[in-house]
Every structure is written in structure tokens, then in C-alpha cells.
Amino acid sequence: MGKKKDQQRLAVLASQRALRDDRRALIILVAGVDGCGRHAVINALTHGLDPRGVRVNAWPPEAAPGRHHLPLWRYWNALPDRGQVGLFLDGWYAAAIDDALRGDAPTLEHLSALEAQLTADGAVLLKLWIDLPAPTARKRIRSRIKAEAREPTPGEQAVLAAQASADDALAALRDASGGWVHLNGAKPGKAADQALEALVDAVTVAQDWAPPKVAMPRKRGSASPLTALDPDARLKKKDYKAELPELQAEIARRIWAAHARRQPVVWLFEGWDAAGKGGVIRRLTERLDARLFQVEPIAAPSDAARAHPWLWRFWQRLPRDGQLTVFDRSWYGRVLVERVEGFATEAEWRRAYAEINDFESQLVAHGTVLVKFWLEITPEAQLKRFEARAETPHKQHKLTDEDWRNRDRWDAYQATIDDMLRHTHTVGAPWTLLAANCKRHARVTALQAVIDALPPA
Amino acid sequence: MGKKKDQQRLAVLASQRALRDDRRALIILVAGVDGCGRHAVINALTHGLDPRGVRVNAWPPEAAPGRHHLPLWRYWNALPDRGQVGLFLDGWYAAAIDDALRGDAPTLEHLSALEAQLTADGAVLLKLWIDLPAPTARKRIRSRIKAEAREPTPGEQAVLAAQASADDALAALRDASGGWVHLNGAKPGKAADQALEALVDAVTVAQDWAPPKVAMPRKRGSASPLTALDPDARLKKKDYKAELPELQAEIARRIWAAHARRQPVVWLFEGWDAAGKGGVIRRLTERLDARLFQVEPIAAPSDAARAHPWLWRFWQRLPRDGQLTVFDRSWYGRVLVERVEGFATEAEWRRAYAEINDFESQLVAHGTVLVKFWLEITPEAQLKRFEARAETPHKQHKLTDEDWRNRDRWDAYQATIDDMLRHTHTVGAPWTLLAANCKRHARVTALQAVIDALPPA
């Protein structure tokens, strides 16, 4: 017995080392109802692993997911770096388990999309479910809260008050979500042993992993949505000067109102180099209270971002409820620059369309006001602006060799932009196209679009 | 005028570039009462700077500092990386300004220690204070909340309700904290211009910066506190087995009680290699609910940690109120391994004693239960354990060449340990020394010490 345990320890450590060497994350969910022994299994796993690079993610009982952010926000933010290990108590099933105990139909939407992204990214996902009938769990909970001289937690209360059909509802939830390894909750030592065994098995199986192939999504529509846009639409200086202050005041009113309602707001800007994104963003925000918004300029991903699934850095930057984030470039870089320059593989940028649509549908379902801008200029207008930048000392830092290189690949970019607009112009998260050859026109149109999207104060 | 503005823009961009090249952070505080024009100054600064690597840190009006964490926690967590720029609305003076407006004496403790750490780390600290008499601020606030169709924020209410003596109290606060550049709040455009000018000046002045020299703190006491300890104190297996379960149950009760009181708890472990830290930590935590604690193994700092003042990574890991963090090694590495191995300069580790004492006094003032353990073993006991690790396959990963090297430098470490214990054994945060040649003795003593430090359930 002692020898068998020692061998298991060695196998667990070897598994962890193998994933570290391969720079693959290990994500372990330990789920089940309160009282089933999740804490003992988590402690057995952390004890079996080398503690370096291992993190347990378990939120205090009173902190429900989705209180200040999207429901999945805290899980995304807690994802382990490649090569490291993240243990999650209940993981992203916490809310679904609560629902099942209360007799409500659990919401599994977005969870399988999340898991698909993790595994496509090379993570090894180990889902452990500790089986224990509700009556037994209730008995354990009663004796534990007595021993620990405390009130039951909300999760424990849910088990104590669970419907007679709770066990069936939980089984249905497990079946619907899939991929679970069952642990025997009736025997705590046994469950821990099974968990360690499952860890070694999962890593062994994962050694044959290869990135999934992905087909290009079917085209929607035939013509580019941009063909309907006249990039030369103009606005007179007099009209601009007259309209701007009132539009800015109205935005300030509506952003304060969104804050009071705890509604998050996201404005994102994509467009050709020198299309005037910065100028639009400045007009949108210059009358706003600095405590209500954050501008996020998106450049190449940092090392930390590269150690996570690609959407991670955007999840991190999402506004808290009642706040505004302005993305100066955004997650659409994945299907624009990363596609054209080959920074993402074909499989990666192809699956990105669906990942983006799922991400944005979560934003919208949470109540986020999402406005996506594409700033369209003609190559001729761009050339003029590049030349002006080159001649103006305090603007020279805005013009790089890369801008000239991108300009040489106008046609390649044009095709990716068309694909992007076609595949991500969804009912819930449509694009707003801005004719931007005239900066005044683009700015006033953007301000008006933002007002239209925000409920009045 | 236009030309002068362009020259100023160039100078601001050049300043930013110089700091980026030198890998020095620029930290700008924009402070003053509500209505004085802080948002316009911040917007002017962000507009003048290249937006890459610039972040505005301003918390929503309803989020008071210190609600779930130490008062300075959120500022530490928001510090910019070296080479980047962080703007802070009111910065760490937000609470002091509120106090002054209410007529209370503002608390400036710890603020100058924070600023000293930032500048010693090479950061350029620019403190901007916008002067505006309270009556004028009140007028502006009334017209703004009317234009924006909203209720006044808590900060605005404070100005509207401020004592007649508020202006004097604010002036006293400014004088007491020092280092402020005054901006003229009566003329908004003027204030923005002065802010940009002050930025360029501050960077120019900072070019002559050199790391401060630091004297070794005066010795406290003459003998090492360790001389009073018998490292060979033992506990019989029978007694250990009898005592352990009840001690663990009592810790579980008290940790739940601390959670209910929203009291944070920190246990930190330092000690010789193979002194048994991991074993003690496991016994302390194995009966605890995974949602209530986090174990933080501290290794060499990451790149992100190196881009910040050295205490940053420990601030990041502090528990939220009501949670427990166990540090397996800690901030004391600064005055142990970093000192002996030369990873910190003499000036750096010398000033670390005072920095640590200031840090811990903040923990204690916030109500944190802090227990600091030193595990003491003899060189003979260590050798035996190294040999046992080398012979046990599933323990081999715990023994590295570095451990053998450290062992060769026993005397050098001994001297640094003595210094550490003498300079950081404070009334508010004393060390608990554990005789650890006998693991059972060390474990039971640690469990009992933790219980003694935690109020009963």
C-alpha cells in the first residue's frame, strides 16, 4: 500500500513536469454538492503536486459569480499560465449546481464554448465530479457546521433545503455538460485516490493531443457591407462646432446614468491606420469623469497574455458593471493583423469568429452596451495623413515603418476586413461603419451612434 | 501660441520616451477637491502623452479605499510597470482630502513611506495639486450636476457640505505631505498647461537621480533571539496523534469566525531549507475550507514583479478581508537570500527592514491577524533530511543543487537571520520561533501559536 502510494506520487509529479515542459496548462474542476468532500480532494491534489505554479481558485461562499462582472469573468481571470496548474472548486458549474439544487433548469450556455477554447489552446481539462446522494450530504453538513460552530454557508443551505429531485437534476446537469470523471464521495480517502489517478490518466491521454482543424465559417451575404458606405461623406466645420458640445454633454449624462444603473459599456474601435480612431476617442471621452472610464490601447500581446488563451487579455480589461471601457483596437486583431501577418495559425483565426461571437453574446446577455466601430478611409486619404504625420514633429511617433508595410498590403487587409464584417456583424452586436475621410463627419457620427445605443438619463 | 503648444507636446513625448528608455515609472497624482478640474487635467495629460503604456487610475465614486483590503492596497496594485505611466486621481490622498473636508485630522501615516519606496525604486513622482477655493468649487459642482442631470457624488457632497475652515485644512494637508506642484484651478486651460510643464520639469530634474544611500539600522539587543531556543525540543508520536485533530478542528472554527468578522489572516513561514515548512503548512490547512485560504509559495520574482517595487508582489497576494493567506517563504527573502546572494544591493536590503516594518504595521493596523514563523533546525538535522530526500524518489524534486549551495553558506545565512530577527521582531508583529529538529514538535507548536493569535469563535 505504502509502495503503491509512493508510485502514484511519482506519477503525479511526472505528469505535472511533463505539462510544464510542454507549456500546457492543467485545469482541474472539483465539483459536487456541499458536503461531498471537495475540499479534501483539493487538498489531496495540492499535496500530491509540487506547489510551485499551483493555484486553488475558490471564492468565498458569499461571493456569487456575475455580481460586478460577466458570470464567467472571474474564471477567465483565474486561468493558469501555460505550464501551470489551476484547481477550481466547482469551476464554472457553481451557478448550474445551485440552479439544479433549487429545482431550476441550469444554464450551460457558453460553458462548452469556454472548455473548447481551453482545450484548443492546449490546456488539459480534468473535470472531477464527486458523487454523493443529497441525504448523505445533508447528514455530513449538519455534523460539520456543529463541529465548526458556525452557520451553514449559502451552498450548504441549498443542499439542506434541496428538492427531493435534486439528485436527478444534478445527474442531468452532469450528463448535459459531459466529460466528467466520477469520484466516489461516500469514501473520502477513495475519492482523493481516484482524483490523483484521474490526473495521471488525463495527462497520459493528452499526450496525443493535436490542435483541432477548423473550417472557415460559411459566408453570410455576398457583397461587403462596406460597399454601401460613402467614405467621402462630409460635415462642415461650422456644423461640427455647433453640434459637438451638446453631443458631448449628452454622452456625459448618459454615461452617468449607465453608472447609476450599474450597466457596463464597451466601445471598440477598429479601422485603417490613420483613420482617426484616436481623435474620435478623444472627442468621446474628453468631457467624461475619469472615474467612469478607461481607454485601453491594444498592441501586441505581452508575455503574460501569450501564456493564456488569446481572449484572456480582453476579458481582463472588461469594465466592471457601471463603468466604460474604450478599446482602441480590440479582439478583432485576431482576425485582422494576426491573420494577415501569420501571428495566428489558420485554425486559430478561423475559430476566432465563433469565439468572438460567443464572447460578445455574453457581453450583451449581461446587459453591456456594446458599440463596435469600423473607421473606413480610402487609400488616398490615408496617404495624405501619413505624409502629414511625417511632416509634423509631434505626430511623427504615430507613424512607423509598420504603417507603411501595412499600407502595401491593402488588398490582403481588405479581404480580411470583409470576412470580419460578414462573420461578426450579428443581431446582438452589429458593426457601426464610419465614413472617415472627413474627420469631423466620423467624429460626430460616432458621438451620435454612442448616444443612440445608450438609454437616456 | 500654436507653435509653443507644439513644442510643449514634443517635450512631453520626449520626456515619456526618456523614462521608457531608462525603464523608470512615471507616477502622476492629480489631486484637489471635487470641482477643481482634475478630470480636465487628466484628460490633457493623457492626450499629451503617447497612449501606449499609460493608465488612468480612478475608482468609481462609491468605492472607498480600504473596504475589502488595506487602505493602500489598491494603489499598490495599480502601480505602473517600470517605463510606463500611471495617473492617479487624488492618488493615496483621497481619504486625507475627505477627512480635511469633513474637518477631521487627515491620516498621512504610511504615505510618505510609500512615496519614499517609489522614488527609491527610480520612479518619477509628480504630485499635482489644483488650487481652488471651496466656494468656487461649490458653484461649479452645482452647475455640473445640473448639466449632467445626476445626483452629486459622495466627493461632491463633501465639498457642498464642507466646513468654512476646509480651505485651511486642505492647505495644512498639502504642507504636511509636501512635494506638490500647485496648479491654478481658477483657469482650467491654464491648469492643464501647467501640468504638462510640470511633467517635463519633473523628468528633467529626475535625470540626476541616483539610488539613495542607506545606513544599517541600529542593532536591537545583543544576543540572537535564537539562542534562547532549544532546537531539539521533542514531542512523542502518541501525544502528537492525540493533539493534532482537536487543534485542527479549533483552527477551522476560528478561521470561520475570522471570515464571519471579515478579519484577514496572514501566516508566514521562513526557515532553513528542509526545516519542514511544507509539512507544517499542510497540517495547518488540511481541514480548512478551500474557499477561505490560499497558499502562496514564494520563489524568485517574475518579470512582472521585477518591473515594480519589490514589495508589490506581496501586496498583490494579501488576503481580502475575511480570508487567509499562507506565505511559504515571504517578503523576508529580501533580507535573507537576496542579501546573501547579492540579488539586492546593499542599499536595497538595508532599507528593506524599515519597509517591512512599515508594511507589517499597515497589516496590523487594518486588523490582520499576522503570525510570522521562523523554523529553526541544526545543520546536522538538515543534513539528515537532505540525505533522506535524495534517497526517496517522490521527494527528490524537493532537493536541488541550490539547497546544497545554501548549506555551504550556513554562517553567512546565520548572520542575516540574526539581523532579520533583531530588526523586524516588533511589538505589533513579533516572530514565533519554532524548534524544528522534531517535526511533530514544530507542527503542534505552530498550530497552537495560530490558535493563540486568532480570537475564539
Side-chain angles (χ1 to χ4, degrees), chain A residues 108-147:
Chain A
L108 296 174
E109 218 191 329
H110 308 303
L111 305 191
S112 60
L114 167 58
E115 293 178 2
Q117 284 179 58
L118 297 177
T119 50
D121 197 63
V124 176
L125 178 63
L126 175 59
K127 296 164 70 176
L128 303 173
W129 188 285
I130 309 180
D131 285 315
L132 192 72
T136 320
R138 274 195 278 276
K139 241 168 91 181
R140 281 203 201 153
I141 290 169
R142 286 200 196 96
S143 95
R144 188 184 299 161
I145 56 181
K146 202 177 151 201

Side-chain angles (χ1 to χ4, degrees), chain A residues 191-214:
Chain A
D193 204 52
Q194 288 174 322
L196 290 163
E197 209 171 288
L199 187 161
V200 175
D201 287 350
V203 174
T204 308
V205 169
Q207 252 134 32
D208 294 326
W209 178 85
K213 289 210 196 316
V214 185

Side-chain angles (χ1 to χ4, degrees), chain A residues 39 55 147 253 289-290 296, chain B residues 39 55 147 253 289-290 294 296:
Chain A
H39 303 285
R55 174 164 284 268
R253 281 191 285 273
D289 190 303
E296 294 284 357
Chain B
H39 303 286
R55 173 163 284 269
R253 281 190 286 273
D289 190 302
Q294 189 71 248
E296 295 285 358

Side-chain angles (χ1 to χ4, degrees), chain A residues 246 248-258 457, chain B residues 146-149:
Chain A
E246 183 40 42
Q248 289 183 328
E250 183 61 25
I251 291 174
R253 281 191 285 273
R254 295 195 183 206
I255 287 295
W256 272 111
Chain B
K146 200 176 153 202
E148 292 171 354

Side-chain angles (χ1 to χ4, degrees), chain A residues 286-418:
Chain A
E286 70 184 342
R287 295 284 168 256
L288 296 182
D289 190 303
R291 289 169 297 189
L292 300 186
F293 76 98
Q294 188 72 247
V295 178
E296 294 284 357
I298 302 298
S302 67
D303 288 345
R306 274 183 235 271
H308 289 93
W310 73 276
L311 271 174
W312 176 81
R313 61 174 173 146
F314 303 105
W315 275 93
Q316 279 210 317
R317 289 168 167 73
L318 288 181
R320 198 181 152 93
D321 293 351
Q323 303 285 114
L324 155 68
T325 300
V326 186
F327 286 94
D328 185 353
R329 302 198 186 275
S330 70
W331 43 91
Y332 283 99
R334 188 71 164 182
V335 294
L336 296 174
V337 58
E338 293 189 38
R339 172 180 174 180
V340 174
E341 305 294 340
F343 300 144
T345 66
E346 188 166 280
E348 284 171 344
W349 61 256
R350 280 186 169 181
R351 64 180 163 87
Y353 299 107
E355 290 166 347
I356 287 171
N357 288 338
D358 175 72
F359 176 50
E360 292 181 356
S361 75
Q362 291 184 59
L363 282 170
V364 172
H366 186 64
T368 311
V369 176
L370 171 64
V371 189
K372 312 190 299 191
F373 288 106
W374 175 262
L375 273 73
E376 178 68 10
I377 53 170
T378 53
E380 298 73 29
Q382 188 192 50
L383 183 61
K384 264 196 205 153
R385 293 189 190 171
F386 277 14
E387 287 168 351
R389 284 183 176 184
E391 282 162 23
T392 312
H394 71 268
K395 288 190 175 172
Q396 281 163 1
H397 73 282
K398 294 171 100 180
L399 185 67
T400 65
D401 292 347
E402 206 184 314
D403 293 328
W404 289 106
R405 275 200 305 279
N406 292 347
R407 184 175 159 77
D408 287 340
R409 311 187 67 170
W410 190 281
D411 291 344
Y413 273 101
Q414 185 68 66
T416 63
I417 293 161
D418 284 351

Side-chain angles (χ1 to χ4, degrees), chain B residues 99-304:
Chain B
D99 287 341
L101 284 172
R102 265 199 314 271
D104 299 340
T107 316
L108 296 174
E109 219 192 329
H110 308 301
L111 304 191
S112 60
L114 167 58
E115 294 177 2
Q117 284 179 59
L118 298 177
T119 49
D121 199 61
V124 177
L125 179 63
L126 176 59
K127 295 165 71 176
L128 302 174
W129 188 285
I130 310 181
D131 285 316
L132 191 73
T136 319
R138 272 195 281 275
K139 239 167 93 179
R140 282 204 201 152
I141 290 169
R142 286 201 196 95
S143 96
R144 187 184 301 161
I145 57 181
K146 200 176 153 202
E148 292 171 354
R150 60 175 175 84
E151 298 298 310
T153 64
E156 288 168 338
Q157 280 166 355
V159 178
L160 293 174
Q163 310 262 341
S165 58
D167 286 326
D168 294 340
L170 288 164
L173 157 59
R174 272 186 340 246
D175 293 345
S177 52
W180 294 96
V181 176
H182 289 248
L183 309 183
N184 182 353
K187 298 180 184 169
K190 179 80 184 161
D193 203 52
Q194 288 174 321
L196 290 163
E197 208 172 289
L199 187 161
V200 175
D201 287 349
V203 174
T204 307
V205 169
Q207 253 136 28
D208 293 326
W209 178 84
K213 289 209 195 319
V214 186
M216 190 68 181
R218 208 160 51 81
K219 291 243 158 157
R220 306 187 189 192
S222 53
S224 164
L226 283 168
T227 50
L229 192 76
D230 172 17
D232 263 326
R234 311 213 143 256
L235 183 70
K236 284 190 190 142
K237 193 166 184 177
K238 197 186 62 179
D239 295 338
Y240 175 74
K241 293 229 160 187
E243 292 176 28
L244 190 65
E246 184 39 41
L247 291 171
Q248 288 182 327
E250 183 60 25
I251 290 173
R253 281 190 286 273
R254 295 194 182 206
I255 286 295
W256 273 110
H259 178 72
R261 282 193 309 272
R262 327 294 314 139
Q263 185 171 28
V265 182
V266 170
W267 302 332
L268 78 82
F269 289 85
E270 293 288 349
W272 297 99
D273 292 327
K277 293 185 294 294
V280 175
I281 291 171
R282 192 182 154 209
R283 269 66 183 190
L284 278 168
T285 58
E286 71 185 340
R287 295 284 168 258
L288 296 183
D289 190 302
R291 291 169 296 190
L292 301 187
F293 76 98
Q294 189 71 248
V295 178
E296 295 285 358
I298 302 300
S302 66
D303 288 344

